[in-house]
Amino acid sequence: MKLGLGLGQHVLTDENLRYARQLGVTHIIVHSPRLGERGVLEFNALLRMRKFIEFHGMEMAGIENLPRDHWDSVLNGAESRDEQIRNVCTT
């Protein structure tokens, strides 16, 4: 059986991940991580996050949502939406 927990990037701490593991959590879903300033989630930052979670004996099962400013123009149909779509595809 898999037991997942959703956590925001700001609460991915040693203490919280140890506690999650003690509760039997096996998978982590990270909410809206900010891992780059260009509107793209940077590979090396994603890899570090995944390895940090794995260090605590769990699997990073996914990412739920992106930071709002990475896709707000897409949602609002603004002129810069095409650039944001390209960035989301790159991520």
Side-chain angles (χ1 to χ4, degrees), residues 5-17 30-31 52:
L5 179 65
L7 294 172
Q9 179 184 359
H10 64 284
V11 294
L12 284 176
T13 63
D14 286 310
E15 181 180 18
N16 288 341
L17 290 176
V30 182
H31 294 276
F52 182 65

Side-chain angles (χ1 to χ4, degrees), residues 7-9 13-14 21-22 28 33-34 37 39 43 45 49 55 59-60 64 66 69 71 77 86 90-91:
L7 294 172
Q9 179 184 359
T13 63
D14 286 310
R21 191 66 193 127
Q22 289 170 358
I28 298 291
R34 179 167 297 284
E37 294 304 318
F43 172 78
M49 180 184 295
F55 174 78
E59 181 180 321
M60 185 170 139
E64 185 172 3
L66 297 171
D69 63 326
W71 61 300
R86 281 191 298 277
T90 299
T91 291

Side-chain angles (χ1 to χ4, degrees), residues 15-81:
E15 181 180 18
N16 288 341
L17 290 176
R18 273 193 308 272
Y19 182 59
R21 191 66 193 127
Q22 289 170 358
L23 293 173
V25 172
T26 58
H27 292 75
I28 298 291
I29 296 177
V30 182
H31 294 276
S32 302
R34 179 167 297 284
L35 301 172
E37 294 304 318
R38 299 183 346 237
V40 175
L41 300 183
E42 302 292 337
F43 172 78
N44 288 329
L46 282 167
L47 184 61
R48 281 191 302 275
M49 180 184 295
R50 190 191 85 195
K51 288 187 178 293
F52 182 65
I53 293 168
E54 289 174 351
F55 174 78
H56 289 280
M58 293 171 282
E59 181 180 321
M60 185 170 139
I63 294 174
E64 185 172 3
N65 290 329
L66 297 171
R68 180 137 176 106
D69 63 326
H70 284 206
W71 61 300
D72 58 342
S73 294
V74 175
L75 295 175
N76 296 319
E79 286 185 30
S80 60
R81 72 182 178 87

